[in-house]
Amino acid sequence: MHIPDGFLDLKICSVTYVLTAVFWFFAFRKAKKVLTDKQIPLMAVLTAMFFAAQMMNYPIIGGTTAHLLGGPILAITLGPYGGLISMTIILLIQALFFGDGGITTFGANVWNMGVIGVFVPYIIWALFPKNKKGMILGAFIGAFIGDVLAAISAGLELGLSAKFLYGVSIAVPAMALHHSIMGVGEGIVTSIIIVILLKSRPDLLDLPKIAPNWLSK
Amino acid sequence: MENRKMIIFGIIISIIFVIVGCIWLSVSVETLDKIAEKFEATEISIWNPPLPDYALPGFEENVMLNISVGILFTLITFLVSFGVGKALGRKK
């Protein structure tokens, strides 16, 4: 889902950079206020873990591969703004050192994977009751829908870009179909991590979330 | 103590991910690239990354080196995140 340089036109790149910059502004401002010493090691471990997880490419359909994003679990544990900061670090390192995702498309990539892929799972997860079953189910459904919507967003950007010969009607279904398969995987992994946390470190799920006020407890 | 355990556990899991990613799940054919091919969109390189496709140029087939690069950058990611967290966070 990492869009390289050259796939999006200047208009799409600019719009996605601006939209993402708004979220960066609020995320860093909120993190300064609420990030505690207890959350910092968790944030660092999860960021490193999902940087590594993104190196695993699973075969899906049509000879293509996909990888986990990690946004859902980052959002559930740190809050959506915390997840956005983590995902920004991951995507920046990938773009600068490995050429995985472009520089001009960095705003779009963060928008897809760090905003949509983080906020959507968190909002859905927050709607579920906070008992064991609700948390696990909310994590699965949130992760699945978050992944699919992130892929649809990437498809929209590609479809609307003047660089492509065809439009949204081809780009969006292709991206959504392929990534819905990965969404199931993301859902399963996110649920498993929630189960592990509930058993071993439930306190990590109760840390204050780095989230907008309207999404905070 | 709890945090130390969590960090060690997390780093071990990350290293396992890197090893699995380099040995068994290293082939990357992104849906996006397939679609782009069909749409005749071409990648324009405006930045030359030092380690394109997660490998040292000239040593792309060296699995041990790829694993080392993966582990090194996993640790760098950890340190960068920790640093950003420390810079943003406040002592309670």
Side-chain angles (χ1 to χ4, degrees):
Chain A
M1 215 190 291
H2 295 61
I3 305 173
D5 289 315
F7 279 22
L8 301 179
D9 60 28
L10 185 63
K11 185 179 65 184
I12 305 286
C13 289
S14 307
V15 169
T16 49
Y17 254 112
V18 170
L19 286 171
T20 304
V22 171
F23 277 83
W24 277 330
F25 173 78
F26 287 109
F28 284 102
R29 196 176 70 163
K30 189 74 178 190
K32 273 184 184 174
K33 283 181 189 169
V34 303
L35 191 66
T36 65
D37 277 351
K38 202 172 179 183
Q39 288 165 296
I40 294 166
L42 178 68
M43 181 172 142
V45 162
L46 289 175
T47 308
M49 202 186 284
F50 283 105
F51 168 82
Q54 287 194 17
M55 290 179 72
M56 297 190 290
N57 297 291
Y58 303 92
I60 43 172
I61 50 170
T64 62
T65 61
H67 55 74
L68 294 171
L69 297 182
I73 205 71
L74 290 169
I76 290 167
T77 50
L78 303 167
Y81 282 154
L84 168 59
I85 292 166
S86 285
M87 199 55 85
T88 300
I89 293 166
I90 292 170
L91 294 170
L92 188 63
I93 288 172
Q94 288 173 335
L96 289 178
F97 292 97
F98 306 108
D100 196 4
I103 304 296
T104 58
T105 55
F106 182 66
N109 285 326
V110 176
W111 175 258
N112 300 335
M113 292 180 266
V115 176
I116 292 174
V118 162
F119 271 80
V120 170
Y122 184 81
I123 291 166
I124 292 169
W125 182 77
L127 293 173
F128 278 78
K130 292 297 160 274
N131 52 38
K132 190 180 172 184
K133 204 179 271 184
M135 281 188 179
I136 295 165
L137 193 63
F140 178 85
I141 294 169
F144 173 77
I145 295 173
D147 263 32
V148 174
L149 287 182
I152 287 171
S153 173
L156 278 171
E157 289 152 11
L158 295 165
L160 293 170
S161 171
K163 301 267 181 179
F164 280 80
L165 295 178
Y166 305 99
V168 167
S169 61
I170 290 175
V172 170
M175 288 296 288
L177 174 70
H178 283 229
H179 284 276
S180 63
I181 296 162
M182 204 59 234
V184 173
E186 187 96 36
I188 291 167
V189 171
T190 305
S191 305
I192 290 169
I193 295 173
I194 293 295
V195 171
I196 292 167
L197 287 175
L198 283 169
K199 272 191 179 163
S200 57
R201 292 291 306 271
D203 59 303
L204 294 178
L205 291 169
D206 287 326
L207 292 172
K209 308 292 182 217
I210 310 163
N213 291 339
W214 57 275
L215 272 176
S216 297
K217 277 183 200 172
Chain B
M1 193 58 199
E2 280 292 305
N3 275 346
R4 189 178 296 179
K5 255 198 251 179
M6 179 186 68
I7 290 168
I8 292 166
F9 178 76
I11 295 294
I12 289 168
I13 295 291
S14 302
I15 290 169
I16 292 167
F17 285 165
V18 170
I19 293 167
V20 171
C22 288
I23 296 175
W24 292 290
L25 299 170
S26 61
V27 179
S28 174
V29 187
E30 288 230 9
T31 309
L32 198 60
D33 297 334
K34 281 268 187 187
I35 296 170
E37 226 174 83
K38 204 164 82 177
F39 286 9
E40 292 173 30
T42 46
E43 192 175 331
I44 298 164
S45 215
I46 64 155
W47 165 255
N48 289 322
L51 300 155
D53 296 324
Y54 299 83
L56 205 62
F59 297 90
E60 288 83 357
E61 300 306 311
N62 190 324
V63 176
M64 281 312 292
L65 203 59
N66 293 346
I67 290 171
S68 305
V69 165
I71 292 171
L72 174 68
F73 275 88
T74 298
L75 296 174
I76 287 170
T77 304
F78 173 83
L79 292 172
V80 168
S81 310
F82 203 91
V84 168
K86 279 284 178 196
L88 288 170
R90 56 176 188 163
K91 291 227 179 269
K92 290 239 165 187

